Protein backbone atom coordinates (compact mmCIF):
# COMPACT_ATOMS: atom_id res chain seq x y z
CA UNK A 1 0.00 0.00 0.00
CA UNK A 2 2.83 2.42 0.84
CA UNK A 3 4.45 1.97 -2.55
CA UNK A 4 1.28 3.09 -4.34
CA UNK A 5 0.22 5.96 -2.08
CA UNK A 6 -0.85 9.19 -3.79
CA UNK A 7 0.21 8.19 -7.28
CA UNK A 8 0.28 11.04 -9.75
CA UNK A 9 1.68 13.43 -7.15
CA UNK A 10 5.00 14.28 -5.53
CA UNK A 11 5.85 15.95 -2.23
CA UNK A 12 5.68 19.73 -2.17
CA UNK A 13 9.32 19.61 -0.98
CA UNK A 14 10.39 18.06 -4.28
CA UNK A 15 8.44 20.68 -6.20
CA UNK A 16 10.11 23.43 -4.15
CA UNK A 17 13.48 22.09 -5.24
CA UNK A 18 12.36 22.24 -8.88
CA UNK A 19 11.11 25.81 -8.50
CA UNK A 20 14.27 26.95 -6.74
CA UNK A 21 16.47 25.31 -9.38
CA UNK A 22 14.49 27.00 -12.16
CA UNK A 23 14.87 30.36 -10.41
CA UNK A 24 18.59 29.83 -9.90
CA UNK A 25 19.06 28.96 -13.57
CA UNK A 26 17.18 32.08 -14.66
CA UNK A 27 13.94 30.52 -15.91
CA UNK A 28 11.14 33.16 -16.07
CA UNK A 29 8.55 32.45 -13.37
CA UNK A 30 5.64 33.32 -15.64
CA UNK A 31 6.29 30.07 -17.49
CA UNK A 32 5.30 27.93 -14.50
CA UNK A 33 3.65 30.17 -11.87
CA UNK A 34 0.18 29.15 -13.09
CA UNK A 35 0.79 25.43 -12.59
CA UNK A 36 -1.24 23.53 -9.99
CA UNK A 37 0.54 23.44 -6.64
CA UNK A 38 3.01 26.28 -7.24
CA UNK A 39 1.02 28.88 -5.29
CA UNK A 40 2.91 29.72 -2.04
CA UNK A 41 0.18 28.33 0.23
CA UNK A 42 0.59 24.92 -1.42
CA UNK A 43 4.27 24.97 -2.25
CA UNK A 44 5.18 25.80 1.35
CA UNK A 45 2.74 23.37 2.95
CA UNK A 46 4.49 20.05 3.60
CA UNK A 47 1.13 18.26 3.78
CA UNK A 48 0.34 19.11 0.17
CA UNK A 49 1.14 16.69 -2.64
CA UNK A 50 1.78 18.50 -5.92
CA UNK A 51 0.77 16.98 -9.26
CA UNK A 52 3.76 15.17 -10.75
CA UNK A 53 2.96 16.97 -14.01
CA UNK A 54 3.92 20.26 -12.34
CA UNK A 55 7.48 19.18 -11.51
CA UNK A 56 7.80 17.57 -14.94
CA UNK A 57 6.77 20.78 -16.69
CA UNK A 58 9.22 22.86 -14.63
CA UNK A 59 12.04 20.44 -15.49
CA UNK A 60 11.12 20.63 -19.16
CA UNK A 61 11.11 24.43 -19.12
CA UNK A 62 14.44 24.49 -17.31
CA UNK A 63 16.21 22.16 -19.72
CA UNK A 64 15.18 24.38 -22.64
CA UNK A 65 17.55 27.05 -21.26
CA UNK A 66 20.10 24.95 -19.35
CA UNK A 67 21.72 21.58 -19.98
CA UNK A 68 20.36 18.53 -18.20
CA UNK A 69 23.71 18.07 -16.49
CA UNK A 70 23.53 21.59 -15.03
CA UNK A 71 20.00 21.03 -13.77
CA UNK A 72 20.97 17.72 -12.11
CA UNK A 73 23.91 19.40 -10.36
CA UNK A 74 21.89 22.41 -9.18
CA UNK A 75 19.12 20.18 -7.81
CA UNK A 76 21.67 18.11 -5.89
CA UNK A 77 23.44 21.20 -4.52
CA UNK A 78 20.12 22.46 -3.16
CA UNK A 79 19.24 19.17 -1.53
CA UNK A 80 20.66 19.78 1.93
CA UNK A 81 19.75 17.24 4.61
CA UNK A 82 16.13 17.80 5.63
CA UNK A 83 15.11 19.35 2.31
CA UNK A 84 13.00 16.26 1.58
CA UNK A 85 11.64 15.81 5.08
CA UNK A 86 11.45 12.47 6.86
CA UNK A 87 12.67 10.59 3.76
CA UNK A 88 16.14 12.11 4.21
CA UNK A 89 16.41 10.96 7.82
CA UNK A 90 15.30 7.42 7.00
CA UNK A 91 18.67 7.10 5.24
CA UNK A 92 20.90 9.01 7.61
CA UNK A 93 19.52 7.63 10.90
CA UNK A 94 19.41 3.89 10.16
CA UNK A 95 21.92 1.50 11.81
CA UNK A 96 23.81 1.27 8.48
CA UNK A 97 23.62 3.26 5.23
CA UNK A 98 22.41 0.12 3.47
CA UNK A 99 19.49 -0.29 5.87
CA UNK A 100 18.77 3.40 5.39
CA UNK A 101 18.54 3.21 1.61
CA UNK A 102 16.30 0.13 1.97
CA UNK A 103 13.93 2.18 4.14
CA UNK A 104 14.13 5.01 1.62
CA UNK A 105 13.06 2.58 -1.09
CA UNK A 106 10.18 1.23 0.99
CA UNK A 107 8.90 4.76 1.69
CA UNK A 108 9.77 6.30 -1.66
CA UNK A 109 6.15 7.46 -1.98
CA UNK A 110 6.80 10.15 0.66
CA UNK A 111 8.71 12.14 -1.96
CA UNK A 112 8.14 10.74 -5.44
CA UNK A 113 5.39 9.56 -7.75
CA UNK A 114 5.71 5.79 -7.55
CA UNK A 115 3.53 5.42 -10.62
CA UNK A 116 6.51 6.50 -12.72
CA UNK A 117 9.63 6.54 -10.49
CA UNK A 118 11.27 3.69 -8.62
CA UNK A 119 14.34 3.29 -6.43
CA UNK A 120 15.76 -0.23 -6.77
CA UNK A 121 18.56 -1.90 -4.81
CA UNK A 122 20.52 -4.94 -5.97
CA UNK A 123 23.01 -6.60 -3.62
CA UNK A 124 25.53 -8.77 -5.43
CA UNK A 125 28.30 -10.09 -3.20
CA UNK A 126 30.75 -7.23 -2.59
CA UNK A 127 28.71 -4.70 -4.58
CA UNK A 128 25.48 -2.77 -4.05
CA UNK A 129 23.86 -1.12 -7.06
CA UNK A 130 21.12 1.48 -6.64
CA UNK A 131 19.03 2.25 -9.71
CA UNK A 132 16.57 5.01 -10.46
CA UNK A 133 13.94 4.12 -13.03
CA UNK A 134 11.83 6.96 -14.44
CA UNK A 135 9.02 6.10 -16.84
CA UNK A 136 7.18 9.41 -16.90
CA UNK A 137 6.08 10.98 -20.17
CA UNK A 138 8.57 13.84 -20.40
CA UNK A 139 11.20 15.22 -22.74
CA UNK A 140 14.51 13.41 -23.14
CA UNK A 141 16.56 16.19 -21.50
CA UNK A 142 14.24 16.46 -18.49
CA UNK A 143 14.29 12.68 -18.02
CA UNK A 144 18.10 12.67 -18.09
CA UNK A 145 18.23 15.45 -15.51
CA UNK A 146 15.85 13.69 -13.11
CA UNK A 147 17.69 10.36 -13.29
CA UNK A 148 21.12 11.94 -12.91
CA UNK A 149 19.92 14.06 -9.97
CA UNK A 150 18.35 11.06 -8.24
CA UNK A 151 21.64 9.13 -8.29
CA UNK A 152 23.50 12.17 -6.96
CA UNK A 153 20.92 12.55 -4.20
CA UNK A 154 21.30 8.91 -3.13
CA UNK A 155 25.08 9.30 -3.04
CA UNK A 156 24.82 12.47 -0.97
CA UNK A 157 22.48 10.95 1.61
CA UNK A 158 24.52 7.76 1.93
CA UNK A 159 27.66 9.84 2.41
CA UNK A 160 25.89 11.88 5.09
CA UNK A 161 24.88 8.65 6.81
CA UNK A 162 28.46 7.35 6.72
CA UNK A 163 29.79 10.82 7.61
CA UNK A 164 32.37 10.60 4.84
CA UNK A 165 32.29 11.06 1.09
CA UNK A 166 31.43 7.74 -0.51
CA UNK A 167 32.87 7.53 -4.02
CA UNK A 168 30.99 5.14 -6.30
CA UNK A 169 32.81 2.43 -8.19
CA UNK A 170 30.67 3.07 -11.21
CA UNK A 171 27.84 5.30 -12.43
CA UNK A 172 25.70 4.38 -15.42
CA UNK A 173 23.30 6.80 -17.07
CA UNK A 174 20.49 6.10 -19.51
CA UNK A 175 21.59 9.12 -21.55
CA UNK A 176 23.87 10.01 -24.40
CA UNK A 177 27.23 11.43 -23.40
CA UNK A 178 26.90 15.22 -22.99
CA UNK A 179 29.30 17.71 -24.49
CA UNK A 180 30.55 18.67 -21.02
CA UNK A 181 31.11 16.02 -18.35
CA UNK A 182 32.33 18.44 -15.69
CA UNK A 183 28.95 18.94 -13.92
CA UNK A 184 28.59 15.16 -13.62
CA UNK A 185 32.12 14.58 -12.31
CA UNK A 186 31.40 17.26 -9.70
CA UNK A 187 28.09 15.61 -8.89
CA UNK A 188 29.47 12.09 -8.39
CA UNK A 189 33.12 12.76 -7.55
CA UNK A 190 34.30 10.29 -10.18
CA UNK A 191 34.95 10.02 -13.91
CA UNK A 192 33.82 6.39 -13.94
CA UNK A 193 30.57 7.26 -15.71
CA UNK A 194 29.10 5.11 -18.47
CA UNK A 195 26.53 6.51 -20.88
CA UNK A 196 23.78 4.99 -23.02
CA UNK A 197 23.11 2.38 -20.34
CA UNK A 198 19.76 0.56 -20.14
CA UNK A 199 19.19 1.89 -16.59
CA UNK A 200 20.64 4.76 -14.58
CA UNK A 201 22.47 3.34 -11.56
CA UNK A 202 25.22 3.96 -9.03
CA UNK A 203 27.36 1.18 -7.56
CA UNK A 204 29.18 1.11 -4.21
CA UNK A 205 31.25 -1.38 -2.26
CA UNK A 206 28.97 -3.33 0.05
CA UNK A 207 31.50 -2.78 2.84
CA UNK A 208 31.01 0.99 2.54
CA UNK A 209 27.26 0.69 3.00
CA UNK A 210 27.21 -2.03 5.65
CA UNK A 211 29.50 -0.25 8.13
CA UNK A 212 27.64 1.05 11.21
CA UNK A 213 26.26 4.57 10.88
CA UNK A 214 28.12 6.82 13.34
CA UNK A 215 25.93 8.03 16.20
CA UNK A 216 22.91 5.93 15.13
CA UNK A 217 20.31 5.83 17.91
CA UNK A 218 18.61 2.49 18.69
CA UNK A 219 14.92 2.55 17.80
CA UNK A 220 15.07 5.79 15.83
CA UNK A 221 14.46 4.06 12.49
CA UNK A 222 11.23 2.59 13.83
CA UNK A 223 10.05 6.05 14.89
CA UNK A 224 10.94 7.52 11.50
CA UNK A 225 9.16 4.75 9.60
CA UNK A 226 6.05 5.42 11.65
CA UNK A 227 6.40 9.14 10.91
CA UNK A 228 6.71 8.37 7.19
CA UNK A 229 3.47 6.38 7.34
CA UNK A 230 1.75 9.26 9.14
CA UNK A 231 3.08 11.69 6.54
CA UNK A 232 1.47 9.66 3.77
CA UNK A 233 -1.77 9.21 5.72
CA UNK A 234 -2.10 12.95 6.38
CA UNK A 235 -1.05 14.14 2.93
CA UNK A 236 -3.36 16.33 0.83
CA UNK A 237 -3.08 15.40 -2.85
CA UNK A 238 -3.74 18.21 -5.32
CA UNK A 239 -5.07 16.67 -8.50
CA UNK A 240 -7.55 19.33 -9.61
CA UNK A 241 -9.33 22.56 -8.77
CA UNK A 242 -11.57 20.90 -6.18
CA UNK A 243 -8.51 19.74 -4.25
CA UNK A 244 -7.24 23.34 -4.23
CA UNK A 245 -10.60 24.59 -2.99
CA UNK A 246 -10.70 22.07 -0.17
CA UNK A 247 -7.22 22.96 1.05
CA UNK A 248 -8.20 26.66 1.03
CA UNK A 249 -11.43 25.90 2.91
CA UNK A 250 -9.61 23.80 5.52
CA UNK A 251 -7.02 26.55 5.96
CA UNK A 252 -9.63 29.26 6.50
CA UNK A 253 -11.59 26.97 8.81
CA UNK A 254 -8.47 26.40 10.94
CA UNK A 255 -8.04 30.17 11.30
CA UNK A 256 -11.63 30.98 12.30
CA UNK A 257 -14.58 29.31 14.01
CA UNK A 258 -16.64 29.49 10.83
CA UNK A 259 -15.27 29.67 7.29
CA UNK A 260 -17.14 32.12 5.06
CA UNK A 261 -17.59 32.06 1.31
CA UNK A 262 -15.99 35.52 0.82
CA UNK A 263 -12.96 34.53 2.93
CA UNK A 264 -12.30 31.39 0.89
CA UNK A 265 -12.91 33.27 -2.38
CA UNK A 266 -10.30 35.84 -1.34
CA UNK A 267 -7.86 33.06 -0.46
CA UNK A 268 -8.31 31.61 -3.96
CA UNK A 269 -8.27 35.05 -5.65
CA UNK A 270 -11.68 34.60 -7.31
CA UNK A 271 -15.11 36.18 -6.90
CA UNK A 272 -17.76 34.49 -4.75
CA UNK A 273 -19.89 33.99 -7.85
CA UNK A 274 -17.02 32.26 -9.70
CA UNK A 275 -16.33 30.08 -6.66
CA UNK A 276 -19.94 28.92 -6.46
CA UNK A 277 -20.04 28.28 -10.21
CA UNK A 278 -16.88 26.14 -10.05
CA UNK A 279 -18.30 24.14 -7.14
CA UNK A 280 -21.44 23.49 -9.18
CA UNK A 281 -19.28 22.35 -12.11
CA UNK A 282 -17.64 19.81 -9.78
CA UNK A 283 -20.98 18.47 -8.57
CA UNK A 284 -20.91 19.91 -5.07
CA UNK A 285 -22.06 22.98 -3.11
CA UNK A 286 -20.64 25.40 -0.58
CA UNK A 287 -22.88 24.07 2.20
CA UNK A 288 -21.92 20.45 1.48
CA UNK A 289 -18.21 21.27 1.55
CA UNK A 290 -18.46 23.30 4.77
CA UNK A 291 -20.40 20.49 6.45
CA UNK A 292 -17.72 17.97 5.38
CA UNK A 293 -15.00 20.12 6.96
CA UNK A 294 -17.06 20.56 10.12
CA UNK A 295 -17.70 16.83 10.31
CA UNK A 296 -14.01 16.01 10.01
CA UNK A 297 -13.10 18.73 12.54
CA UNK A 298 -15.65 17.58 15.11
CA UNK A 299 -14.75 13.92 14.69
CA UNK A 300 -11.09 14.76 15.23
CA UNK A 301 -11.87 16.75 18.40
CA UNK A 302 -13.99 13.91 19.78
CA UNK A 303 -11.34 11.29 19.07
CA UNK A 304 -8.20 13.25 19.96
CA UNK A 305 -9.18 15.61 22.80
CA UNK A 306 -11.05 15.58 26.11
CA UNK A 307 -13.00 18.75 25.33
CA UNK A 308 -16.61 18.73 26.46
CA UNK A 309 -19.49 18.79 23.99
CA UNK A 310 -20.26 22.45 24.74
CA UNK A 311 -16.65 23.45 24.04
CA UNK A 312 -16.56 21.46 20.80
CA UNK A 313 -19.83 23.03 19.67
CA UNK A 314 -18.42 26.50 20.31
CA UNK A 315 -15.22 25.70 18.42
CA UNK A 316 -17.18 24.33 15.49
CA UNK A 317 -19.63 27.17 14.94
CA UNK A 318 -22.72 25.51 16.43
CA UNK A 319 -25.12 27.48 18.60
CA UNK A 320 -25.07 24.93 21.41
CA UNK A 321 -24.43 21.30 22.32
CA UNK A 322 -27.93 20.28 21.22
CA UNK A 323 -27.28 21.48 17.65
CA UNK A 324 -24.00 19.56 17.64
CA UNK A 325 -25.71 16.37 18.84
CA UNK A 326 -28.29 16.66 16.04
CA UNK A 327 -25.51 17.04 13.48
CA UNK A 328 -23.58 14.00 14.78
CA UNK A 329 -26.81 11.96 14.80
CA UNK A 330 -27.46 12.96 11.17
CA UNK A 331 -23.90 12.10 10.07
CA UNK A 332 -23.25 8.90 12.00
CA UNK A 333 -26.58 7.78 13.49
CA UNK A 334 -25.16 7.93 17.01
CA UNK A 335 -24.31 10.35 19.83
CA UNK A 336 -21.08 12.35 20.29
CA UNK A 337 -20.30 10.37 23.44
CA UNK A 338 -20.67 7.04 21.65
CA UNK A 339 -18.65 8.32 18.68
CA UNK A 340 -15.88 9.32 21.08
CA UNK A 341 -15.85 5.92 22.78
CA UNK A 342 -15.87 4.05 19.48
CA UNK A 343 -13.05 6.19 18.09
CA UNK A 344 -10.80 5.60 21.07
CA UNK A 345 -11.41 1.86 21.06
CA UNK A 346 -9.99 1.49 17.53
Amino acid sequence: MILHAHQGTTSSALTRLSVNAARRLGIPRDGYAHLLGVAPEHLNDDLCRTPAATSIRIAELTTVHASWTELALVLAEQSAIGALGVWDYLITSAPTPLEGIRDASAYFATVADTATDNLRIVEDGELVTISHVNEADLTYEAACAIRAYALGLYQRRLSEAAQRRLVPLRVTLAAEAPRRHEPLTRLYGTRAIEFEAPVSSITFLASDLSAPTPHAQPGLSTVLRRHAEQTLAGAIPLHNWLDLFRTALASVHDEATTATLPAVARRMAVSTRTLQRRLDEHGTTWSNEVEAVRRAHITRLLHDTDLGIDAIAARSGYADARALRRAVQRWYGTTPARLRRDGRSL
Side-chain angles (χ1 to χ4, degrees):
M1 181 178 68
I2 292 171
L3 288 174
H4 302 290
H6 305 304
Q7 289 192 340
T9 66
T10 66
S11 70
S12 58
L14 197 59
T15 308
R16 283 198 299 271
L17 288 175
S18 298
V19 168
N20 291 337
R23 184 182 301 122
R24 181 169 161 183
L25 290 168
I27 310 306
R29 182 175 170 79
D30 57 11
Y32 57 84
H34 64 286
L35 296 175
L36 192 62
V38 174
E41 63 267 27
H42 304 127
L43 197 63
N44 298 320
D45 185 344
D46 288 335
L47 287 178
C48 286
R49 298 277 302 189
T50 309
T54 292
S55 292
I56 288 172
R57 182 57 182 156
I58 295 171
E60 291 176 336
L61 288 170
T62 304
T63 50
V64 169
H65 300 278
S67 70
W68 64 264
T69 58
E70 290 177 295
L71 176 55
L73 179 60
V74 169
L75 285 168
E77 289 175 343
Q78 292 183 146
S79 300
I81 183 73
L84 294 173
V86 66
W87 185 85
D88 284 340
Y89 300 109
L90 285 169
I91 303 175
T92 59
S93 302
T96 67
L98 181 56
E99 291 175 76
I101 198 67
R102 286 174 185 155
D103 281 347
S105 177
Y107 292 91
F108 201 42
T110 58
V111 288
D113 176 15
T114 54
T116 58
D117 288 74
N118 286 286
L119 189 173
R120 299 175 182 171
I121 304 164
V122 175
E123 301 171 49
D124 183 14
E126 297 180 354
L127 304 179
V128 176
T129 297
I130 303 164
S131 303
H132 184 92
V133 179
N134 177 279
E135 298 174 339
D137 182 15
L138 69 170
T139 63
Y140 170 79
E141 289 79 9
C144 292
I146 290 171
R147 294 166 186 154
Y149 159 63
L151 300 185
L153 175 64
Y154 305 153
Q155 179 188 8
R156 178 169 184 169
R157 290 294 175 268
L158 290 167
S159 296
E160 288 162 341
Q163 294 192 1
R164 63 187 179 88
R165 180 69 183 269
L166 298 180
V167 179
L169 296 178
R170 180 176 66 254
V171 177
T172 70
L173 291 173
E176 296 178 0
R179 291 182 180 179
R180 294 179 57 247
H181 292 197
E182 190 267 339
L184 296 178
T185 57
R186 285 177 57 192
L187 179 59
Y188 304 121
T190 181
R191 294 183 179 276
I193 305 172
E194 301 172 14
F195 298 95
E196 300 186 41
V199 176
S200 297
S201 67
I202 188 166
T203 300
F204 298 94
L205 284 172
S207 57
D208 282 339
L209 301 190
S210 59
T213 299
H215 313 303
Q217 300 179 36
L220 182 55
S221 287
T222 301
V223 173
L224 291 170
R225 286 192 292 269
R226 188 178 305 121
H227 182 50
E229 291 168 359
Q230 292 169 346
T231 297
L232 289 169
I236 305 169
L238 304 178
H239 291 291
N240 53 40
W241 181 89
L242 189 57
D243 289 332
L244 292 180
F245 163 78
R246 286 171 174 164
T247 59
L249 174 59
S251 177
V252 172
H253 186 274
D254 288 343
E255 296 170 4
T257 301
T258 304
T260 65
L261 181 63
V264 176
R266 284 195 300 272
R267 182 67 59 90
M268 298 188 70
V270 298
S271 68
T272 56
R273 181 175 297 179
T274 296
L275 182 56
Q276 288 176 313
R277 177 174 55 79
R278 294 298 300 274
L279 288 171
D280 183 61
E281 290 171 355
H282 283 80
T284 186
T285 65
W286 168 258
S287 60
N288 286 344
E289 294 297 322
V290 169
E291 185 167 40
V293 169
R294 271 187 172 179
R295 181 169 64 246
H297 179 65
I298 289 167
T299 304
R300 186 167 59 250
L301 290 177
L302 286 170
H303 289 173
D304 299 340
T305 76
D306 293 319
L307 290 171
I309 304 303
D310 288 323
I312 292 176
R315 290 191 178 200
S316 305
Y318 283 95
D320 52 35
R322 184 163 48 183
L324 174 61
R325 291 190 181 94
R326 286 198 299 267
V328 171
Q329 182 68 39
R330 184 173 70 254
W331 296 333
Y332 297 109
T334 189
T335 65
R338 179 63 181 270
L339 184 62
R340 170 170 275 168
R341 287 196 302 271
D342 291 346
R344 292 184 176 181
S345 65
L346 295 177

